[in-house]
Amino acid sequence: MPDGFSAGDTAFVFISAALVMLMTPGLAFFYGGMVRVKSALNMLVMSFISLGIVSVLWVLYGYTLAFGPDAGAGLIGNLDFLGMRGIGMNDLTGTIPTTAFSAFQLMFAVITPALISGAIADRAKFAAWGLFVALWVTIVYFPVAHWVFFFDNGNGGWLGDRNGVIDFAGGTAVHINAGVAGLALCLVLGKRIGFKKDPMRPHSLPLVMLGSGLLWFGWFGFNAGSALAANGVAGMAFMNTQVATAAAMLGWLAYEKIKHGAFTTLGAASGAVAGLVAITPACGSVSLLGAIAIGLIAGAVCAAAISLKYRLGFDDSLDVVGVHAVGGAIGSLLIGFFATGHVGQTAQGLFYGGGFGQLGKQAMGVAVVAVYSFVLSWVLAKAIDRTIGFRVAEDVELAGIDQAEHAESAYDFSAVGASLARAVSAGTTKPVATKIAEKTEVDA
């Protein structure tokens, strides 16, 4: 291997990439448990399909658009690495092979569109969703990743490298990007049938908890791995991720208890995800106390933000806007207050003597990515809706997307139904059987 290669850093980044890959199935479980039983499989595969589509596009042209040499003004990479040509086994990015760096960044590209899917649960055609994913990563994600993540001694991306916007692991490029896109899509597709009228409770809170646990586990690769080396910055990012997530869960539960009088498992899971989102851009620039503060603020604010859909009338099915757009914005903006200048960045926030300069840069990054993502996502969704149609028919939505789109169901109730029928016929357990049947019908 060439000079500068580090086997330890390389192993660390490969492990981190695998952890980030695991986050997409984790997200599938998290979202899949939150929908009604008739849409569970559809929600799972809307995340999984991103692994297929984005992985192929990344090799074909995604990597070169995001991380190829700048084509001008920090807006997009050129086509030097089209099809990953010119990248050999001995080429390095820092101390790791460029192939390892590309694999790590691929996993970011995979999960970002998958995050959007929760905003349009229960009502999107699967083929239309797949087309949207392919177009969205090409037109929105790859350019924004270049703006934020590509560094080349001041000649890289225009937000991060040229204007000093701090985003250690994707608060803008991933979470604001996806959250705002989710808002655009749910506006184009419209509300679910029965929104604000019918109960739309999660069908499996154990799946939600499993998904949030996998996300928390994988997020250590997401954040610590973004140091691209097994060093002190990675260690700090790891610890900041843990304590911010813990604080956000407590903040969400406290808000929930005060507002609604109960601590819910859904609140615990959602609060943890909100904390993970918020600390993502900041984990390489704040202290542990700053991370706790960011987590507490994000947990409480995101818990309050999810009610906006009822007040403003947009149907964000699984609170993608309230958690990812709002959480990403909180974490990105709070860098302007809590950046110490002594972790992985030299910029200092307001509370560390840096004035308002960094806060202004962070606000610019948040605004630019939000506007770009919303406008392009709305245009793409509208174009798909006008051509092949984005939303399923009303009868399909009422019956459940799983059977219509995938010819499958998440659970086989035939054996349960047969047992209930026998119990009713025998006349021994009719009250219990009837209650179970009625509950199954309502949940479905």
Side-chain angles (χ1 to χ4, degrees):
M1 293 300 293
D3 293 340
F5 168 76
S6 169
D9 291 346
T10 301
F12 174 70
V13 171
F14 274 132
I15 292 169
S16 296
L19 287 171
V20 181
M21 181 272 163
L22 184 65
M23 291 171 64
T24 297
L27 180 72
F29 285 126
F30 181 69
Y31 280 170
M34 289 174 69
V35 297
R36 290 167 289 179
V37 69
K38 62 184 180 181
S39 302
L41 283 182
N42 178 256
M43 199 71 258
L44 290 168
V45 76
M46 284 178 79
S47 289
F48 264 82
I49 195 62
S50 186
L51 281 162
I53 294 171
V54 180
S55 296
V56 172
L57 296 184
W58 184 256
V59 170
L60 294 178
Y61 57 80
Y63 178 76
T64 195
L65 293 179
F67 292 100
D70 188 70
L75 296 176
I76 196 73
N78 66 23
L79 300 181
D80 283 2
F81 303 139
L82 196 66
M84 301 294 286
R85 67 185 181 190
I87 298 176
M89 291 188 297
N90 293 327
D91 292 325
L92 296 184
T93 297
T95 61
I96 65 174
T98 298
T99 50
F101 173 76
S102 178
F104 180 68
Q105 288 295 337
L106 163 61
M107 302 311 169
F108 281 61
V110 165
I111 196 171
T112 305
L115 294 171
I116 303 170
S117 64
I120 54 171
D122 296 327
R123 58 198 189 277
K125 292 180 180 178
F126 187 68
W129 168 248
L131 177 59
F132 176 82
V133 169
L135 294 174
W136 189 85
V137 294
T138 301
I139 298 172
V140 180
Y141 181 78
F142 296 154
V144 173
H146 186 80
W147 302 352
V148 174
F149 293 143
F150 180 65
F151 283 78
D152 187 21
N153 299 314
N155 297 308
W158 77 281
L159 284 181
D161 197 20
R162 303 189 188 209
N163 285 292
V165 175
I166 297 174
D167 187 351
F168 189 76
T172 54
V174 176
H175 297 290
I176 294 174
N177 206 1
V180 173
L183 175 61
L185 259 67
C186 67
L187 291 176
V188 171
L189 268 68
K191 305 177 184 69
R192 288 169 292 177
I193 297 170
F195 176 64
K196 294 201 292 187
K197 297 178 183 178
D198 300 336
M200 297 180 179
R201 295 183 295 270
H203 90 278
S204 177
L205 287 171
L207 276 185
V208 174
M209 295 300 286
L210 172 63
S212 66
L214 289 173
L215 285 170
W216 195 333
F217 176 69
W219 224 290
F220 291 121
F222 201 85
N223 286 355
S226 291
L228 301 179
N231 57 22
V233 176
M236 198 66 187
F238 191 110
M239 280 298 294
N240 279 340
T241 300
Q242 177 66 19
V243 298
T245 305
M249 181 171 60
L250 298 177
W252 188 297
L253 289 173
Y255 176 90
E256 198 172 52
K257 178 65 174 177
I258 294 169
K259 188 73 174 179
H260 305 294
F263 304 112
T264 68
T265 52
L266 181 60
S270 299
V273 173
L276 291 165
V277 170
I279 198 57
T280 291
C283 60
S285 58
V286 302
S287 69
L288 288 169
L289 294 179
I292 291 173
I294 289 172
L296 285 171
I297 293 168
V301 174
C302 289
I306 63 172
S307 65
L308 289 175
K309 65 183 181 182
Y310 300 110
R311 297 179 186 176
L312 301 179
F314 63 90
D315 185 8
D316 172 18
S317 304
L318 306 183
D319 303 318
V320 176
V321 179
V323 173
H324 293 278
V326 174
I330 289 170
S332 297
L333 292 173
L334 289 180
I335 291 171
F337 293 93
F338 291 107
T340 65
H342 302 296
V343 185
Q345 304 282 346
T346 58
Q348 294 178 317
L350 180 64
F351 296 159
Y352 290 84
F356 288 97
Q358 191 60 43
L359 179 60
K361 294 177 181 180
Q362 298 304 118
M364 179 188 71
V366 168
V368 166
V369 172
V371 171
Y372 181 81
S373 180
F374 181 85
V375 172
L376 271 295
S377 300
W378 190 91
V379 170
L380 288 174
K382 202 69 174 177
I384 292 171
D385 194 45
R386 290 287 181 87
T387 52
I388 65 172
F390 212 140
R391 183 163 179 162
V392 297
E394 183 176 335
D395 59 335
V396 171
E397 184 176 342
L398 289 171
I401 298 179
D402 286 359
Q403 282 293 339
E405 291 286 302
H406 309 292
E408 298 170 308
S409 58
Y411 306 99
D412 182 5
F413 293 114
S414 59
V416 176
S419 298
L420 290 175
R422 287 193 296 270
V424 171
S425 298
T428 56
T429 57
K430 185 173 182 179
V432 175
T434 302
K435 289 178 181 178
I436 295 173
E438 290 174 349
K439 183 178 186 304
T440 301
E441 183 178 352
V442 170
D443 288 346

